[in-house]
């Protein structure tokens, strides 16, 4: 069979799992700038599934697509280092403030522009929002089927993919015709590490914006090696209805954000020595909380 | 028209708990908004399914019953919900935040261009003033959820688009029979009219479902470990104590992400919500994400070597110390003094 054209949707996210004390500002709000920006973990699981398909079906290509600020080009480079073939950064102020629906719309417009694809693979959800909505909504916008909670892409049959899904209480194997969207669970295999050759090949890859201050030598290098160009698309590069993008294209609005303040209770402090623990256990047994 | 819909999930021929919990919530929202509560059930062999839903306050139950719908697949379920919502124009539609609801919800909301908020921990009704547009909105659904890894709580609204859609995890809302004698109306949908042949392109080849072995949702005592437990091996201490006192072991997201415990033990907004009579938090700092899933525990004991751990502020008892010291002491006392 001929190679597959695979698009991997990836997002650069703040590492919300490691919110340290310095990540909170004096007023108690989250200082996003202080959080490291990382490749969304489940998008790495998605990339691995794409790379496995590429290994199995020589001639396949893996294309990364991300939407975000300019610095999100970092995760495209990261994907290239791990085995992807090329990438697109969708970046424009017009996309800012988008909820999951407006995000999905923008991404689906970019995919229509890329045009030629068999499978779109994304992580199940991103750790900054945990919504798991963008994958299915992209599928709906493109009018193609979706398979969520995928753990393994098992095989290709004719023009279908056979996929193992991880549900709450078991596993389900489904056969889905291509083209389709697959979202991958964190329980799927981890992504392979960077490949030293790929790092050498792509370490000078840059978007147009990143190249603005580049030397003439570097410009010449990119002209010689076009794969060093990371495609950067603004709203003008995709065909879209501006009213469906960004804040104005978002049906959901944030009415209020509250920082977390717990209603403090009067806690009884127990000393960690034998006496303290014995007293507590005695109380719990006496009042039938235990036993 | 403009009623509240709950899309009900069927689990082994019965309405899933999470759907009944949403019916309970939907009933109180409907009473507040003075509108009707309706349920949509899709599946196969659904005879009589409406009766239980009536007791949870359903005024109308829509049933789509077809052999091809026995197990959930995205496309035909989406077509039915989308078409019915286009006809009935609900103001609010609720789904469980299960693999079913989180697959179906976004697809439906995208097709209807309506907003959807995932994993809400609270749903309320309230107004909104848009000063920029000089518009006043009455009776919107406040969709309240922690965000940003649980460091903030956001209230989301959908001012203009309908239905206002939200998913809620199992166990977050309480399940309560509204009125055992309440009766509603049953409407059977003509599945052929609501779906097309191309909706059935995805085939289920195999299903292996098993009864969940871990039952933290219904445990009366939970010993939960966080990142502070330090390792998978150290979790064994918690299992030992749990075994001794008849408890179940839970975990925070950080502990699950670190591989110390399985996903099925995760407590919190993106895990299970629990209300045990005793909750022993071991090495859990207490991000809101976690607190949202356990704050209604009747009694909370926090064991942590950081006296300033946020979870201590909602605990009834705080033990500042190392788990390696404290837990063996608890085991020792219990062994000596219980019958």
């Amino acid at each position: 069979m001929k190679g597959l054209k695979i698009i991997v949707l990836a997002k650069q996210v703040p590492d919300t799992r490691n919110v340290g004390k310095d990540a909170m500002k004096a007023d108690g709000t989250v200082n996003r700038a202080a959080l490291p920006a990382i490749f969304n973990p489940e998008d790495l699981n998605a990339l691995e599934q794409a790379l496995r398909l590429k290994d199995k079906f020589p001639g396949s290509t893996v294309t990364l697509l991300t939407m975000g600020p300019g610095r999100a080009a970092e995760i495209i480079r990261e994907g290239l280092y791990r085995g992807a073939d090329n990438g697109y950064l969708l970046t424009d102020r017009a996309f800012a403030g988008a909820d999951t629906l407006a995000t999905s719309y923008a991404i689906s417009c970019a995919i229509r522009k890329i045009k030629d694809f068999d499978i779109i693979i994304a992580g199940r959800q991103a750790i900054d929002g945990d919504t798991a909505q963008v994958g299915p909504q992209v599928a709906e916008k493109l009018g193609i089927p979706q398979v969520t909670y995928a753990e393994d892409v098992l095989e290709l049959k004719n023009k279908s993919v056979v996929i193992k899904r991880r549900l709450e209480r078991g596993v389900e194997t489904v056969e889905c015709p291509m083209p389709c969207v697959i979202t991958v669970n964190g329980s799927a295999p981890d992504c392979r590490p960077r490949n030293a050759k790929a790092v050498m090949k792509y370490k000078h890859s840059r978007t147009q914006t990143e190249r603005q201050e580049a030397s003439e030598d570097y410009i010449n290098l990119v002209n010689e090696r076009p794969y060093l160009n990371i495609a950067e698309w603004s709203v003008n590069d995709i065909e879209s209805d501006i009213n469906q993008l960004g804040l104005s294209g978002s049906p959901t609005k944030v009415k209020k954000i509250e920082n977390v303040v717990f209603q403090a209770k009067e806690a009884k402090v127990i000393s960690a020595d034998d006496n303290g623990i014995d007293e507590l256990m005695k109380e719990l047994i006496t009042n039938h909380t235990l036993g | 028209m403009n009623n509240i819909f709950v899309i009900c999930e069927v689990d082994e021929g019965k309405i899933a708990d999470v759907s009944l919990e949403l019916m309970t919530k939907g009933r109180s929202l409907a009473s507040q908004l003075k509108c009707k509560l309706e349920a949509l059930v899709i599946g196969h062999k659904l005879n009589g399914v409406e009766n239980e839903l009536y007791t949870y306050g359903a005024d109308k139950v829509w049933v789509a019953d077809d052999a091809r719908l026995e197990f959930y697949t995205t496309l035909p379920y989406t077509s039915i919900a989308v078409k019915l919502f286009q006809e009935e124009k609900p103001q609010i539609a609720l789904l469980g935040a299960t693999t079913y609801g989180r697959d179906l919800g976004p697809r439906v909301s995208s097709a209807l261009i309506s907003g959807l908020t995932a994993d809400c921990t609270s749903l309320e009704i309230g107004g909104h003033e848009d000063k920029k547009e000089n518009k006043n909105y009455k009776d919107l659904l406040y969709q309240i959820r922690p965000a940003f890894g649980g460091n903030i709580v956001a209230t989301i609204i959908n001012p203009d688009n309908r239905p206002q859609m939200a998913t809620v995890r199992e166990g977050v809302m309480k399940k309560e029979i509204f009125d055992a004698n309440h009766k509603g109306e049953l409407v059977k949908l003509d599945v052929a009219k609501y779906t097309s042949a191309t909706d059935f392109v995805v085939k289920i080849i195999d299903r292996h479902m098993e009864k969940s072995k871990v039952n933290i949702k219904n445990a009366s005592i939970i010993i939960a470990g966080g990142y502070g437990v330090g390792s998978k091996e150290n979790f064994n201490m918690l299992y030992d104590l749990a075994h001794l006192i008849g408890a179940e072991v839970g975990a925070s997201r950080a502990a699950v992400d670190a591989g110390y415990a399985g996903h099925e033990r995760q407590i919190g907004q993106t895990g299970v919500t629990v209300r045990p009579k005793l909750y022993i938090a071991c090495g859990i700092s207490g991000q809101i994400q976690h607190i949202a899933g356990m704050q209604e525990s009747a009694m909370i004991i926090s064991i942590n070597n950081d006296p300033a751990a946020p979870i201590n502020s909602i605990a009834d008892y705080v033990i500042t110390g190392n788990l390696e010291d404290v837990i063996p002491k608890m085991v020792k006392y219990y062994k000596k003094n219980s019958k």
Side-chain angles (χ1 to χ4, degrees):
Chain A
M1 102 157 254
K2 71 174 177 72
L4 294 165
K5 294 212 161 32
I6 306 164
I7 297 174
V8 174
L9 306 183
K11 185 180 185 186
Q12 190 181 44
V13 292
D15 191 354
T16 55
R17 297 173 306 180
N18 294 306
V19 180
K21 288 197 175 92
D22 54 339
M24 301 301 273
K25 293 187 212 160
D27 63 357
T29 58
V30 180
N31 180 10
R32 295 182 187 223
L35 293 176
I38 58 167
F39 202 119
N40 178 51
E42 288 185 335
D43 296 344
L44 281 172
N45 298 105
L47 175 60
E48 176 60 25
Q49 289 298 321
L51 295 173
R52 286 180 181 206
L53 284 170
K54 184 181 159 184
D55 292 343
K56 242 193 243 178
F57 302 102
S60 298
T61 54
V62 174
T63 299
L64 285 157
L65 172 59
T66 190
M67 183 167 111
R71 72 169 182 175
E74 288 163 12
I75 66 163
I76 292 184
R77 273 187 291 276
E78 184 63 40
L80 294 169
Y81 296 161
R82 294 180 192 237
D85 298 281
N86 55 21
Y88 293 86
L89 168 67
L90 200 52
T91 186
D92 200 302
R93 295 190 76 92
F95 303 135
D99 70 358
T100 65
L101 195 70
T103 300
S104 307
Y105 176 70
I107 289 173
S108 69
C109 291
I111 293 171
R112 281 182 202 277
K113 170 96 186 254
I114 296 173
K115 209 167 144 189
D116 198 10
F117 66 90
D118 299 295
I119 303 178
I120 296 164
I121 310 185
R124 176 189 54 145
Q125 63 191 37
I127 56 169
D128 55 347
D130 287 324
T131 71
Q133 285 169 198
V134 170
Q137 288 179 334
V138 166
E140 196 281 332
K141 297 275 172 253
L142 294 170
I144 58 177
Q146 70 197 41
V147 178
T148 53
Y149 295 91
E151 205 168 59
D152 201 359
V153 179
L154 299 170
E155 56 169 329
L156 295 192
K157 258 193 198 168
N158 305 320
K159 287 184 171 161
S160 291
V161 237
V162 179
I163 296 159
K164 184 172 104 181
R165 303 180 70 208
R166 170 65 55 183
L167 305 180
E168 283 92 350
R169 293 212 324 259
V171 291
E172 185 179 85
T173 308
V174 300
E175 189 181 322
C176 178
M178 294 188 283
C180 61
V181 171
I182 302 170
T183 73
V184 180
N185 230 12
S187 57
D190 289 338
C191 191
R192 63 196 63 185
R194 294 175 177 187
N195 170 303
K197 269 192 193 160
V199 174
M200 290 307 291
K201 181 173 174 187
Y202 289 110
K203 70 178 177 189
H204 295 299
S205 60
R206 298 281 182 275
T207 61
Q208 201 185 333
T209 307
E210 289 173 326
R211 280 201 304 271
Q212 270 169 2
E213 316 241 311
S215 65
E216 202 172 314
D217 286 354
Y218 180 75
I219 304 290
N220 291 335
L221 184 72
V222 175
N223 287 339
E224 248 170 68
R225 302 176 188 170
Y227 60 81
L228 291 180
N229 175 43
I230 295 175
E232 182 178 338
W233 283 354
S234 73
V235 70
N236 298 321
D237 295 300
I238 59 171
E239 267 178 54
S240 64
D241 166 10
I242 194 95
N243 295 317
Q244 293 190 51
L245 295 172
L247 200 58
S248 59
S250 300
T252 61
K253 314 278 177 212
V254 177
K255 177 171 171 59
K256 197 168 70 174
I257 295 275
E258 276 172 301
N259 290 295
V260 171
V261 185
F262 298 125
Q263 209 117 67
K265 283 200 238 183
E266 196 64 35
K268 204 163 160 180
V269 178
I270 308 286
S271 72
D273 57 20
D274 280 333
N275 281 340
I277 304 295
D278 287 0
E279 280 298 311
L280 173 65
M281 292 299 284
K282 187 177 168 191
E283 191 179 326
L284 294 177
I285 292 172
T286 312
N287 67 20
H288 299 290
T289 303
L290 289 182
Chain B
M1 288 296 206
N2 303 136
N3 290 325
I4 296 178
F5 271 70
V6 177
I7 302 183
C8 292
E9 192 169 338
V10 181
D11 187 11
E12 288 172 1
K14 288 185 62 187
I15 302 292
D17 277 352
V18 66
S19 304
L20 295 176
E21 290 159 12
L22 287 173
M23 289 297 291
T24 303
K25 186 69 199 178
R27 183 67 257 171
S28 80
L29 294 175
S31 303
Q32 200 179 341
L33 293 169
K34 299 189 174 57
C35 68
K36 295 202 156 119
L37 174 65
E38 310 191 20
L40 168 62
V41 194
I42 305 171
H44 186 42
K45 294 181 186 151
L46 299 175
N47 272 342
V49 82
E50 66 279 8
N51 294 317
E52 186 178 25
L53 290 166
Y54 294 153
T55 65
Y56 281 87
D59 298 305
K60 199 182 255 189
V61 177
W62 304 80
V63 172
D65 190 327
D66 189 294
R68 294 171 298 171
L69 299 172
E70 181 173 2
F71 299 114
Y72 172 78
T73 52
T74 311
L75 300 178
Y77 277 57
T78 301
S79 292
I80 293 167
V82 167
K83 196 140 193 265
L84 183 65
F85 286 0
Q86 281 166 343
E87 292 166 358
E88 294 299 313
K89 302 189 170 32
Q91 54 173 312
I92 293 172
L94 307 176
L95 297 92
T98 56
T99 54
Y100 167 113
R102 297 172 110 231
D103 186 274
L104 179 62
R107 190 97 192 183
V108 171
S109 86
S110 175
L112 296 172
I113 321 231
S114 79
L116 169 65
T117 305
D119 294 349
C120 294
T121 49
S122 178
L123 298 170
E124 292 167 17
I125 302 295
H128 176 63
E129 191 188 344
D130 187 335
K131 286 185 185 124
K132 239 196 301 185
E133 304 270 328
N134 199 19
K135 274 193 199 164
N136 259 305
Y137 297 87
K138 258 174 54 184
D139 293 341
L140 292 177
L141 181 69
Y142 286 0
Q143 302 144 52
I144 301 162
R145 76 183 303 255
F148 214 70
N151 297 288
I152 55 175
V153 176
T155 300
I156 313 288
I157 49 171
N158 317 353
D160 299 309
N161 301 52
R162 294 293 176 273
Q164 307 164 79
M165 293 180 68
T167 66
V168 178
R169 287 200 170 242
E170 183 175 346
V172 172
M173 303 292 174
K174 277 185 190 142
K175 180 179 101 173
E176 230 164 45
I177 289 191
F178 168 66
D179 175 358
N181 299 316
H182 181 76
K183 283 282 174 282
E185 180 193 348
L186 172 68
V187 186
K188 289 191 175 170
L189 292 171
D190 178 355
V191 172
K193 271 194 194 149
Y194 283 79
T195 57
S196 64
T198 52
D199 285 337
F200 296 93
V201 291
V202 176
K203 303 264 177 270
I204 296 176
I205 303 173
D206 189 34
R207 277 168 64 87
H208 274 297
M209 294 296 142
E210 47 197 52
K211 285 258 177 265
S212 172
K213 286 184 202 103
V214 181
N215 190 358
I216 44 174
K217 196 189 154 200
N218 295 317
S220 65
I221 303 175
I222 293 173
I223 302 172
Y227 192 71
V229 174
S231 69
K232 202 172 170 176
E233 290 65 42
N234 283 357
F235 251 79
N236 287 333
M237 270 188 314
L238 310 193
Y239 291 113
D240 291 344
L241 178 61
H243 183 70
L244 185 69
I245 64 176
E248 194 57 86
V249 172
S252 72
R253 179 179 183 156
V256 171
D257 283 344
Y260 302 168
H263 277 281
E264 69 282 3
R265 297 191 186 275
Q266 188 177 320
I267 291 167
Q269 188 211 358
T270 51
V272 183
T273 297
V274 296
R275 297 182 180 82
K277 65 173 184 179
L278 175 62
Y279 192 93
I280 306 178
C282 304
I284 292 179
S285 64
Q287 287 201 335
I288 178 74
Q289 207 274 118
H290 184 76
I291 305 255
M294 49 65 74
Q295 61 192 345
E296 287 181 45
S297 305
M299 182 187 287
I300 298 167
I301 298 175
S302 167
I303 309 172
N304 206 304
N305 52 22
D306 175 8
I311 199 163
N312 290 354
S313 67
I314 62 155
D316 299 277
Y317 296 93
V318 171
I319 304 171
T320 304
N322 291 320
L323 297 173
E324 293 88 334
D325 302 329
V326 174
I327 291 183
K329 287 190 170 101
M330 294 173 94
V331 169
K332 192 173 130 204
Y333 184 91
Y334 190 84
K335 276 187 176 161
K336 213 170 21 174
N337 295 286
S338 70
K339 281 153 234 158

